Amino acid sequence: MKTLLLPSPVFISKSIPNIPQNAPLKSGFQPKLGFSCCSKTRNNCARLRVIRNNNSGEDGSVVSDDENGVFDSVAEFQLIPQSGEIEVSNSHADKMEESVDDVSAQENLEKVTYNIVFVTSEASPYSKTGGLADVCGSLPIALASRGHRVMVVSPRYLHGGPSDEKLAGTTNLNRATKVYCSGGVQQVDFFHEYRKGVDWVFVDHPCYSRPGNPYGDDNGAFGDNQFRFTLLCHAACEAPLVLPLGGFTYGQKCLFLANDWHAGLVPVLLAAKYRPHGIYKDARSIIMIHNLAHQGVEPASTFCNLGLPWEWYGTLEWIFPTWARTHALDTGQTVNILKGAIVTADRILTVSQGYSWEITTPEGGYGLNELLSSRKFVLDGITNGIDVTEWDPSSDKHISSNYTVHDLSGKIACKMALQKELGLPLRPDCVLIGFIGRLDYQKGIDIILSATPALLQDDVQFVMLGSGERQYEEWMSATEEAFKNKFRGWVGFNVPISHKITAGCDILLMPSRYEPCGLNQQYAMRYGTIPVVHETGGLRETVKTFNPCAEKGEGEEGTGWAFSPLTRECMLDALRMAIKTYREHKTSWEGLMRRGMERDCSWDNATVQYEKVFQWVFTDPPYVT
């Protein structure tokens, strides 16, 4: 897949049908517009890229390892402030860096509990396509364990298959609620389960009952995704007011954590629909960006479906440049939900510190970099933790032999069991390299494709698990046929197999072009598997490069290899260094394994940082027009 190199955006100002030309911009910004790419064919959207996903989980549900639903929209947009300069001295971002390094921050932190409402399109184990579900399935539990009252609001997906059993423990709250959007009144019901200290709330509506994953099926993205997630946002704003969970509602003074564009209307609704009437005047909102590439862009004519006052159109407005439009009559006018969230949210969080910087650059900002830079004083990054109970080699039920950092003998048994299951020669001393991920351009599959013939000339074995673009799926099959004793490709996604690869491999390869945080490299280190990654985003933060040739005392904190730039040669050099270390420096390799396994990758440190941000967001006044 080719990358589109985009020209500098130009300012375009036009009116759209049925929207007043003099509608004020409630955001306080004037749009300076870039380009948008939608994964759906719509009247006013340029179809610049289509991503295919046909992943099947063990239970028949459609899943992938992506940090975001692969059928979402991709969008770029740029904004500049109307006037004035933003004072960023003594910023909260600077304070965050200090608090990360301050070991005593947790002890000095004033203990304040909050009513927290997560709004997300997916949450494990109920629904999952990737890392977003993992975060929204484990972070709420970690926060609840620290005394906060936590609710997670997501759709009640019914696929008509075995995966529906995950919702068997939920009960109807019998609180049918009517919300206004898409030109009419929509009725939703709420289902509930109290589990691990968290109120799991599921919005029930016929639009969530269909085969596929949360975003699409084998035919592509669902055409009504904007409606489905608009409905989620409206319902989530009503939930704290109408649901007597445990006998009491969450009330108006709560903190909304809106995850990615699917929940991006929440901060806009608070500002446009509720606060003007004195409701939620003490509430706050945080937009959590897991993947900026997906922004929820649709034709401007769909603004009327969002349930917002007309004068708020400017907050979401975004216009395609001329060259990206589909035809001569296409005005290029769209609405960008994530852009509206960034404008109106009280704070902005990303899933790693590195990614919070990357999204303010032209290369990583996907057209929103100037807007994000203008709000840098409320922008922070907190590196994700992982669920250390699900990912624990000492108790993992998916692997053939459990092991610990004090007794690594079981890892060899896992390696041989994986070789046997995949039909590879049983060779415990042969380096086994693994890849788990979506097969597309973002994950650097083209780099793997170009490097594999040279890599397999060495005495190694290589196994890949994933699905995505058909050309890469076919390439995996062809490579397996050509290298029967060295390569295996598993098309699809399977949870038990992903655990077996993580435990059985010696090296995990992650050459992602960008990776907001990344979880697979953390899973790998937890299992004593050494990550070789592209130095970007969260991969840069979590993987420290090891130098086996360094003098004693130097490079002893390494946990893997992070290479840059992202080229075939650099990736091969890093892999060869890792392979050489495995073969010739056994003591150093064991040290790498133990350091990775001993690394604290739980949510404990992250939750302390989240609590600091919660303090800041309530210290500042809420967003008002």
Side-chain angles (χ1 to χ4, degrees):
M1 181 180 293
K2 297 181 179 178
T3 302
L4 292 174
L5 300 178
L6 305 173
S8 300
V10 296
F11 175 76
I12 304 172
S13 179
K14 294 182 180 180
S15 61
I16 69 172
N18 302 320
I19 295 180
Q21 296 188 31
N22 60 350
L25 297 182
K26 289 287 185 179
S27 65
F29 293 90
Q30 289 284 3
K32 182 179 181 184
L33 306 175
F35 88 101
S36 167
C37 168
C38 296
S39 60
K40 306 185 284 289
T41 302
R42 303 300 291 262
N43 291 337
N44 294 330
C45 293
R47 185 172 181 137
L48 302 183
R49 183 170 76 173
V50 177
I51 303 177
R52 173 180 169 272
N53 186 296
N54 187 23
N55 302 345
S56 297
E58 184 185 36
D59 60 359
S61 60
V62 182
V63 294
S64 76
D65 81 314
D66 190 16
E67 297 213 11
N68 203 76
V70 297
F71 290 114
D72 297 338
S73 301
V74 179
E76 299 202 4
F77 192 103
Q78 292 187 344
L79 296 175
I80 56 175
Q82 278 187 303
S83 61
E85 297 181 356
I86 296 174
E87 179 63 45
V88 295
S89 62
N90 194 29
S91 69
H92 290 322
D94 295 333
K95 294 178 184 177
M96 173 63 78
E97 284 189 24
E98 296 172 5
S99 67
V100 170
D101 297 328
D102 186 3
V103 179
S104 63
Q106 181 174 355
E107 299 165 359
N108 296 333
L109 183 66
E110 180 184 354
K111 189 61 181 178
V112 179
T113 58
Y114 302 94
N115 290 344
I116 303 170
V117 181
F118 279 78
V119 187
T120 176
S121 60
E122 53 184 281
S124 179
Y126 305 100
S127 57
K128 177 178 177 178
T129 67
L132 171 63
D134 287 335
V135 173
C136 292
S138 55
L139 175 57
I141 296 172
L143 289 170
S145 70
R146 295 181 60 81
H148 303 287
R149 191 182 186 196
V150 184
M151 177 197 307
V152 178
V153 184
S154 65
R156 184 171 181 256
Y157 300 113
L158 294 175
H159 307 292
S163 62
D164 292 352
E165 295 179 3
K166 297 174 182 177
L167 295 166
T170 64
T171 58
N172 193 335
L173 293 172
N174 295 315
R175 290 279 173 168
T177 301
K178 295 180 179 179
V179 298
Y180 183 86
C181 64
S182 296
V185 176
Q186 310 293 333
Q187 179 171 304
V188 298
D189 288 301
F190 295 98
F191 283 69
H192 173 254
E193 180 178 17
Y194 184 76
R195 182 179 61 84
K196 294 187 176 181
V198 175
D199 289 303
W200 304 90
V201 174
F202 303 92
V203 180
D204 186 52
H205 187 273
C207 70
Y208 302 127
S209 299
R210 60 184 64 164
N213 72 15
Y215 315 105
D217 55 21
D218 292 348
N219 298 316
F222 296 133
D224 61 346
N225 273 343
Q226 186 196 64
F227 167 74
R228 298 167 75 233
F229 296 119
T230 295
L231 192 65
L232 169 67
C233 294
H234 279 270
C237 289
E238 289 293 309
L241 304 176
V242 303
L243 301 183
L245 304 176
F248 301 92
T249 65
Y250 274 59
Q252 296 187 36
K253 189 175 181 180
C254 54
L255 173 60
F256 287 90
L257 270 64
N259 292 269
D260 277 346
W261 80 262
H262 321 94
L265 277 183
V266 168
V268 184
L269 288 169
L270 295 179
K273 178 181 177 182
Y274 291 94
R275 287 190 187 127
H277 299 284
I279 304 173
Y280 283 135
K281 57 185 177 61
D282 294 322
R284 298 292 189 274
S285 65
I286 297 174
I287 180 65
M288 295 180 63
I289 300 175
H290 300 256
N291 194 331
L292 187 65
H294 306 280
Q295 298 179 8
V297 178
E298 295 287 351
S301 58
T302 64
F303 178 81
C304 61
N305 298 326
L306 303 180
L308 295 169
W310 283 114
E311 60 266 25
W312 284 80
Y313 168 72
T315 305
L316 284 76
E317 181 186 30
W318 184 34
I319 304 175
F320 284 92
T322 303
W323 65 266
R325 301 176 191 177
T326 55
H327 51 77
L329 298 179
D330 183 358
T331 63
Q333 293 167 311
T334 67
V335 289
N336 183 325
I337 291 178
L338 186 59
K339 177 241 174 176
I342 292 171
V343 168
T344 56
D346 298 304
R347 292 200 72 88
I348 305 164
L349 275 175
T350 67
V351 291
S352 70
Q353 293 181 20
Y355 194 57
S356 70
W357 169 80
E358 286 182 6
I359 63 176
T360 64
T361 67
E363 295 80 10
Y366 285 88
L368 293 172
N369 51 290
E370 290 189 24
L371 171 59
L372 287 161
S373 294
S374 73
R375 301 215 67 201
K376 194 172 183 179
F377 64 107
V378 294
L379 170 62
D380 300 296
I382 300 175
T383 302
N384 284 337
I386 65 172
D387 187 337
V388 294
T389 58
E390 178 185 358
W391 292 90
D392 184 353
S394 68
S395 58
D396 194 331
K397 297 179 180 179
H398 297 304
I399 63 179
S400 61
S401 180
N402 297 123
Y403 57 95
T404 69
V405 66
H406 304 296
D407 181 6
L408 296 171
S409 59
K411 186 164 178 62
I412 293 295
C414 289
K415 180 177 183 177
M416 296 184 67
L418 179 62
Q419 289 173 328
K420 181 178 180 180
E421 183 167 352
L422 297 177
L424 290 168
L426 299 183
R427 299 184 57 200
D429 293 330
C430 179
V431 177
L432 182 55
I433 303 169
F435 170 89
I436 303 172
R438 198 175 67 256
L439 306 180
D440 72 7
Y441 184 76
Q442 182 215 327
K443 299 298 183 180
I445 301 300
D446 57 315
I447 305 296
I448 295 178
L449 186 152
S450 65
T452 297
L455 176 64
L456 295 182
Q457 295 303 313
D458 201 345
D459 184 22
V460 300
Q461 294 176 344
F462 190 14
V463 55
M464 296 180 65
L465 170 67
S467 66
E469 295 185 37
R470 187 181 300 276
Q471 60 173 322
Y472 296 131
E473 293 179 355
E474 294 175 348
W475 166 79
M476 285 204 309
S477 298
T479 304
E480 182 174 320
E481 184 65 25
F483 297 90
K484 294 182 178 180
N485 292 328
K486 291 189 172 185
F487 183 89
R488 288 294 182 272
W490 184 299
V491 176
F493 187 79
N494 182 288
V495 172
I497 291 296
S498 70
H499 281 248
K500 292 176 182 179
I501 291 176
T502 302
C505 284
D506 301 299
I507 297 170
L508 184 79
L509 179 62
M510 291 185 68
S512 303
R513 278 184 165 77
Y514 67 90
E515 197 69 61
C517 178
L519 297 177
N520 284 338
Q521 83 280 10
Q522 299 192 69
Y523 299 152
M525 288 185 284
R526 175 90 167 142
Y527 281 66
T529 300
I530 311 305
V532 175
V533 304
H534 176 219
E535 192 175 19
T536 183
L539 300 179
R540 179 191 294 110
E541 290 181 21
T542 54
V543 179
K544 295 183 179 181
T545 296
F546 173 71
N547 181 5
C549 301
E551 295 184 9
K552 188 176 182 180
E554 298 181 8
E556 293 184 354
E557 295 183 355
T559 55
W561 281 267
F563 62 89
S564 184
L566 180 60
T567 64
R568 172 183 179 273
E569 291 73 22
C570 283
M571 187 182 78
L572 284 172
D573 287 345
L575 281 171
R576 287 164 179 160
M577 179 65 73
I579 293 168
K580 182 177 181 181
T581 305
Y582 175 87
R583 291 171 177 165
E584 302 178 10
H585 302 272
K586 295 294 185 181
T587 301
S588 295
W589 188 265
E590 186 173 316
L592 278 164
M593 294 172 63
R594 295 187 186 280
R595 282 192 295 276
M597 296 179 73
E598 291 171 346
R599 177 180 174 272
D600 183 4
C601 53
S602 70
W603 280 106
D604 292 344
N605 291 331
T607 51
V608 174
Q609 297 175 49
Y610 272 98
E611 288 174 333
K612 178 63 71 175
V613 174
F614 298 165
Q615 281 191 331
W616 295 338
V617 75
F618 278 99
T619 299
D620 298 330
Y623 175 90
V624 292
T625 58

